[in-house]
Amino acid sequence: MQKYKQKTRKGAVKRFKVTATGKVLRRAQNMRHLRRKKSKKAIRHSRKPIEVKGKWARRIKHMMGMR
């Protein structure tokens, strides 16, 4: 009898990255459009990925098939 496998949520895989040490990284928000108004400094700082912490990080890992 075959056991069930957990499916990966593809939307989470596309949006987040898990590093080798287990940190969950995401892109900065508010950078899709209307960038003309934002300061160059804000645009520059938003290129760097941001770490997701706490319960959300655990939930995202679970969505990506990591327990």
Side-chain angles (χ1 to χ4, degrees):
M1 196 162 137
Q2 190 177 8
K3 299 257 182 179
Y4 292 109
K5 287 188 176 181
Q6 182 183 1
K7 285 194 172 183
T8 304
R9 296 210 182 187
K10 296 297 184 180
V13 171
K14 291 170 189 174
R15 288 175 173 86
F16 302 101
K17 179 188 173 196
V18 180
T19 63
T21 55
K23 292 179 186 175
V24 181
L25 302 177
R26 67 169 175 84
R27 282 187 53 168
Q29 60 190 13
N30 299 325
M31 281 293 135
R32 289 287 183 177
H33 62 115
L34 303 176
R35 291 171 66 156
R36 181 176 73 244
K37 299 179 183 182
K38 297 173 178 73
S39 68
K40 301 296 178 223
K41 185 177 180 181
I43 293 171
R44 217 170 31 247
H45 283 303
S46 65
R47 280 190 213 130
K48 197 167 94 169
I50 299 164
E51 185 182 353
V52 180
K53 295 181 181 180
K55 287 183 180 180
W56 279 109
R58 285 200 303 274
R59 192 177 289 180
I60 290 163
K61 280 185 191 175
H62 188 264
M63 283 187 219
M64 294 174 86
M66 301 172 190
R67 289 194 175 199

